[in-house]
Amino acid sequence: MSNTSPAQPESLHIVCPHCDAVNRVPAARLAAEPVCGKCQKALFTGAPVDLGSARFLKQIERSDIPVLVDFWAPWCGPCRTMAPFYAQAAQRLEPQFRVVKVDTEQAQDLAARYAIRSIPTLALFKGGREVARQPGAMDAQNIVAWAMQNNR
Ligand SMILES: [Zn+2]
């Protein structure tokens, strides 16, 4: 055997849901309740992260884990119905996924940029790029299943 260096443990960039600092976390430690090196808060909170325009791009572009997004609005009845299901889904999808929500009434530029035509709309981003989209409300089980299916 040649003298190869020992395998480096795989580490992932995880963007803090509180302060947006980019953390490097060994993949094996993702589930071990890692904390942010900058603000010392939990990198995974088990709840969807509310993101406005200012934070959205950094969160989707710098994150090495897929980011699930719920585009919604406060006046939308089906969105409000789905909110508790989406929160349940977040608990099951973290830390494999980052789960966020975007209020399209506040972040109208994001709604326009991604051509959101109906709400709620779920979208999955990997490496900053949208890889899947699904309009319409879903229950927790279907949200989890949809995210898993499209994370390939
Ligand atoms: Zn932080």
Side-chain angles (χ1 to χ4, degrees):
M1 289 289 289
S2 61
N3 54 344
T4 52
S5 56
Q8 293 293 312
E10 186 194 359
S11 69
L12 299 168
H13 288 122
I14 304 295
V15 187
C16 177
H18 309 283
C19 74
D20 298 328
V22 180
N23 287 257
R24 284 184 74 86
V25 180
R29 287 204 62 246
L30 271 189
E33 300 182 6
V35 297
C36 175
K38 187 174 175 190
C39 73
Q40 310 300 322
K41 292 179 182 167
L43 286 176
F44 294 97
T45 61
V49 184
D50 265 298
L51 292 181
S53 307
R55 302 180 58 200
F56 183 79
L57 287 180
K58 184 171 184 185
Q59 287 279 340
I60 64 165
E61 286 173 353
R62 300 299 306 277
S63 181
D64 282 343
I65 55 174
V67 181
L68 180 65
V69 185
D70 172 22
F71 290 98
W72 71 290
W75 48 263
C76 156
C79 297
R80 292 198 303 270
T81 303
M82 191 172 90
F85 301 136
Y86 194 63
Q88 288 169 26
Q91 291 181 1
R92 287 156 62 179
L93 289 169
E94 287 188 346
Q96 195 180 343
F97 293 77
R98 169 67 73 210
V99 179
V100 308
K101 53 199 302 181
V102 169
D103 179 346
T104 55
E105 199 164 64
Q106 298 292 325
Q108 293 184 6
D109 54 331
L110 290 180
R113 177 181 178 133
Y114 295 104
I116 303 302
R117 293 186 180 84
S118 68
I119 49 174
T121 286
L122 284 186
L124 187 66
F125 289 82
K126 296 176 79 170
R129 299 183 57 175
E130 183 179 344
V131 296
R133 169 182 295 209
Q134 178 70 51
M138 284 189 259
D139 64 19
Q141 191 177 345
N142 282 316
I143 295 167
V144 170
W146 183 84
M148 298 285 194
Q149 272 165 24
N150 287 289
N151 181 31
R152 288 179 180 163

PDB file of all heavy atoms in Angstrom, residues 40-56:
ATOM      1  N   GLN A  40     -23.140  30.327  19.873  1.00  0.00           N
ATOM      2  CA  GLN A  40     -23.287  29.256  20.885  1.00  0.00           C
ATOM      3  C   GLN A  40     -24.701  28.717  21.009  1.00  0.00           C
ATOM      4  O   GLN A  40     -25.012  27.990  21.952  1.00  0.00           O
ATOM      5  CB  GLN A  40     -22.809  29.718  22.281  1.00  0.00           C
ATOM      6  CG  GLN A  40     -21.433  30.361  22.302  1.00  0.00           C
ATOM      7  CD  GLN A  40     -20.353  29.422  21.796  1.00  0.00           C
ATOM      8  OE1 GLN A  40     -20.400  28.226  22.071  1.00  0.00           O
ATOM      9  NE2 GLN A  40     -19.396  29.932  21.040  1.00  0.00           N
ATOM     10  N   LYS A  41     -25.570  29.074  20.070  1.00  0.00           N
ATOM     11  CA  LYS A  41     -26.924  28.514  20.116  1.00  0.00           C
ATOM     12  C   LYS A  41     -26.989  27.240  19.283  1.00  0.00           C
ATOM     13  O   LYS A  41     -26.109  26.976  18.455  1.00  0.00           O
ATOM     14  CB  LYS A  41     -27.936  29.542  19.601  1.00  0.00           C
ATOM     15  CG  LYS A  41     -28.096  30.737  20.522  1.00  0.00           C
ATOM     16  CD  LYS A  41     -29.094  31.722  19.940  1.00  0.00           C
ATOM     17  CE  LYS A  41     -29.213  32.956  20.834  1.00  0.00           C
ATOM     18  NZ  LYS A  41     -29.931  34.049  20.126  1.00  0.00           N
ATOM     19  N   ALA A  42     -28.059  26.472  19.472  1.00  0.00           N
ATOM     20  CA  ALA A  42     -28.211  25.194  18.774  1.00  0.00           C
ATOM     21  C   ALA A  42     -28.321  25.407  17.264  1.00  0.00           C
ATOM     22  O   ALA A  42     -29.055  26.290  16.808  1.00  0.00           O
ATOM     23  CB  ALA A  42     -29.437  24.465  19.288  1.00  0.00           C
ATOM     24  N   LEU A  43     -27.586  24.576  16.506  1.00  0.00           N
ATOM     25  CA  LEU A  43     -27.649  24.679  15.048  1.00  0.00           C
ATOM     26  C   LEU A  43     -28.928  24.062  14.490  1.00  0.00           C
ATOM     27  O   LEU A  43     -29.304  24.327  13.352  1.00  0.00           O
ATOM     28  CB  LEU A  43     -26.420  24.014  14.416  1.00  0.00           C
ATOM     29  CG  LEU A  43     -25.115  24.791  14.551  1.00  0.00           C
ATOM     30  CD1 LEU A  43     -23.957  23.982  13.960  1.00  0.00           C
ATOM     31  CD2 LEU A  43     -25.215  26.143  13.859  1.00  0.00           C
ATOM     32  N   PHE A  44     -29.563  23.214  15.298  1.00  0.00           N
ATOM     33  CA  PHE A  44     -30.849  22.656  14.891  1.00  0.00           C
ATOM     34  C   PHE A  44     -31.826  22.818  16.041  1.00  0.00           C
ATOM     35  O   PHE A  44     -31.533  22.441  17.173  1.00  0.00           O
ATOM     36  CB  PHE A  44     -30.706  21.178  14.504  1.00  0.00           C
ATOM     37  CG  PHE A  44     -29.866  20.985  13.280  1.00  0.00           C
ATOM     38  CD1 PHE A  44     -28.523  20.656  13.397  1.00  0.00           C
ATOM     39  CD2 PHE A  44     -30.404  21.159  12.014  1.00  0.00           C
ATOM     40  CE1 PHE A  44     -27.738  20.490  12.263  1.00  0.00           C
ATOM     41  CE2 PHE A  44     -29.619  21.010  10.882  1.00  0.00           C
ATOM     42  CZ  PHE A  44     -28.288  20.670  11.003  1.00  0.00           C
ATOM     43  N   THR A  45     -32.970  23.418  15.736  1.00  0.00           N
ATOM     44  CA  THR A  45     -33.913  23.738  16.802  1.00  0.00           C
ATOM     45  C   THR A  45     -35.176  22.879  16.739  1.00  0.00           C
ATOM     46  O   THR A  45     -36.048  22.998  17.588  1.00  0.00           O
ATOM     47  CB  THR A  45     -34.344  25.215  16.696  1.00  0.00           C
ATOM     48  OG1 THR A  45     -34.990  25.410  15.426  1.00  0.00           O
ATOM     49  CG2 THR A  45     -33.131  26.129  16.790  1.00  0.00           C
ATOM     50  N   GLY A  46     -35.296  22.035  15.709  1.00  0.00           N
ATOM     51  CA  GLY A  46     -36.486  21.211  15.571  1.00  0.00           C
ATOM     52  C   GLY A  46     -37.700  22.001  15.139  1.00  0.00           C
ATOM     53  O   GLY A  46     -38.831  21.549  15.304  1.00  0.00           O
ATOM     54  N   ALA A  47     -37.464  23.189  14.577  1.00  0.00           N
ATOM     55  CA  ALA A  47     -38.583  24.021  14.132  1.00  0.00           C
ATOM     56  C   ALA A  47     -38.182  24.735  12.843  1.00  0.00           C
ATOM     57  O   ALA A  47     -37.002  25.013  12.623  1.00  0.00           O
ATOM     58  CB  ALA A  47     -38.939  25.046  15.205  1.00  0.00           C
ATOM     59  N   PRO A  48     -39.165  25.052  11.993  1.00  0.00           N
ATOM     60  CA  PRO A  48     -38.850  25.804  10.780  1.00  0.00           C
ATOM     61  C   PRO A  48     -38.259  27.174  11.132  1.00  0.00           C
ATOM     62  O   PRO A  48     -38.676  27.808  12.101  1.00  0.00           O
ATOM     63  CB  PRO A  48     -40.216  25.960  10.088  1.00  0.00           C
ATOM     64  CG  PRO A  48     -41.080  24.901  10.674  1.00  0.00           C
ATOM     65  CD  PRO A  48     -40.596  24.714  12.088  1.00  0.00           C
ATOM     66  N   VAL A  49     -37.297  27.611  10.308  1.00  0.00           N
ATOM     67  CA  VAL A  49     -36.649  28.907  10.515  1.00  0.00           C
ATOM     68  C   VAL A  49     -37.304  29.931   9.590  1.00  0.00           C
ATOM     69  O   VAL A  49     -37.363  29.731   8.388  1.00  0.00           O
ATOM     70  CB  VAL A  49     -35.140  28.819  10.193  1.00  0.00           C
ATOM     71  CG1 VAL A  49     -34.453  30.143  10.493  1.00  0.00           C
ATOM     72  CG2 VAL A  49     -34.494  27.678  10.960  1.00  0.00           C
ATOM     73  N   ASP A  50     -37.812  31.009  10.166  1.00  0.00           N
ATOM     74  CA  ASP A  50     -38.414  32.083   9.374  1.00  0.00           C
ATOM     75  C   ASP A  50     -37.324  32.908   8.713  1.00  0.00           C
ATOM     76  O   ASP A  50     -36.495  33.503   9.393  1.00  0.00           O
ATOM     77  CB  ASP A  50     -39.235  33.007  10.286  1.00  0.00           C
ATOM     78  CG  ASP A  50     -40.687  32.608  10.306  1.00  0.00           C
ATOM     79  OD1 ASP A  50     -41.324  32.653   9.227  1.00  0.00           O
ATOM     80  OD2 ASP A  50     -41.177  32.240  11.385  1.00  0.00           O
ATOM     81  N   LEU A  51     -37.334  32.965   7.395  1.00  0.00           N
ATOM     82  CA  LEU A  51     -36.291  33.702   6.692  1.00  0.00           C
ATOM     83  C   LEU A  51     -36.898  34.781   5.814  1.00  0.00           C
ATOM     84  O   LEU A  51     -37.838  34.528   5.066  1.00  0.00           O
ATOM     85  CB  LEU A  51     -35.480  32.761   5.796  1.00  0.00           C
ATOM     86  CG  LEU A  51     -34.597  31.725   6.484  1.00  0.00           C
ATOM     87  CD1 LEU A  51     -33.855  30.919   5.431  1.00  0.00           C
ATOM     88  CD2 LEU A  51     -33.633  32.367   7.451  1.00  0.00           C
ATOM     89  N   GLY A  52     -36.329  35.980   5.897  1.00  0.00           N
ATOM     90  CA  GLY A  52     -36.680  37.053   4.981  1.00  0.00           C
ATOM     91  C   GLY A  52     -35.655  37.114   3.860  1.00  0.00           C
ATOM     92  O   GLY A  52     -34.727  36.312   3.792  1.00  0.00           O
ATOM     93  N   SER A  53     -35.815  38.106   3.016  1.00  0.00           N
ATOM     94  CA  SER A  53     -34.953  38.222   1.841  1.00  0.00           C
ATOM     95  C   SER A  53     -33.483  38.324   2.197  1.00  0.00           C
ATOM     96  O   SER A  53     -32.622  37.762   1.520  1.00  0.00           O
ATOM     97  CB  SER A  53     -35.343  39.470   1.052  1.00  0.00           C
ATOM     98  OG  SER A  53     -36.712  39.452   0.774  1.00  0.00           O
ATOM     99  N   ALA A  54     -33.170  39.044   3.274  1.00  0.00           N
ATOM    100  CA  ALA A  54     -31.774  39.314   3.605  1.00  0.00           C
ATOM    101  C   ALA A  54     -31.022  38.039   3.966  1.00  0.00           C
ATOM    102  O   ALA A  54     -29.821  37.938   3.719  1.00  0.00           O
ATOM    103  CB  ALA A  54     -31.695  40.307   4.767  1.00  0.00           C
ATOM    104  N   ARG A  55     -31.697  37.061   4.548  1.00  0.00           N
ATOM    105  CA  ARG A  55     -31.000  35.874   5.037  1.00  0.00           C
ATOM    106  C   ARG A  55     -31.139  34.670   4.113  1.00  0.00           C
ATOM    107  O   ARG A  55     -30.366  33.713   4.233  1.00  0.00           O
ATOM    108  CB  ARG A  55     -31.550  35.505   6.419  1.00  0.00           C
ATOM    109  CG  ARG A  55     -31.415  36.612   7.448  1.00  0.00           C
ATOM    110  CD  ARG A  55     -31.978  36.173   8.786  1.00  0.00           C
ATOM    111  NE  ARG A  55     -31.313  34.962   9.269  1.00  0.00           N
ATOM    112  CZ  ARG A  55     -31.848  34.155  10.191  1.00  0.00           C
ATOM    113  NH1 ARG A  55     -33.013  34.434  10.723  1.00  0.00           N
ATOM    114  NH2 ARG A  55     -31.199  33.068  10.573  1.00  0.00           N
ATOM    115  N   PHE A  56     -32.133  34.700   3.240  1.00  0.00           N
ATOM    116  CA  PHE A  56     -32.489  33.498   2.497  1.00  0.00           C
ATOM    117  C   PHE A  56     -31.343  32.968   1.642  1.00  0.00           C
ATOM    118  O   PHE A  56     -30.998  31.783   1.691  1.00  0.00           O
ATOM    119  CB  PHE A  56     -33.718  33.780   1.623  1.00  0.00           C
ATOM    120  CG  PHE A  56     -34.207  32.581   0.873  1.00  0.00           C
ATOM    121  CD1 PHE A  56     -34.966  31.609   1.511  1.00  0.00           C
ATOM    122  CD2 PHE A  56     -33.905  32.404  -0.467  1.00  0.00           C
ATOM    123  CE1 PHE A  56     -35.420  30.492   0.824  1.00  0.00           C
ATOM    124  CE2 PHE A  56     -34.350  31.288  -1.158  1.00  0.00           C
ATOM    125  CZ  PHE A  56     -35.110  30.343  -0.508  1.00  0.00           C
TER     126      PHE A  56
END
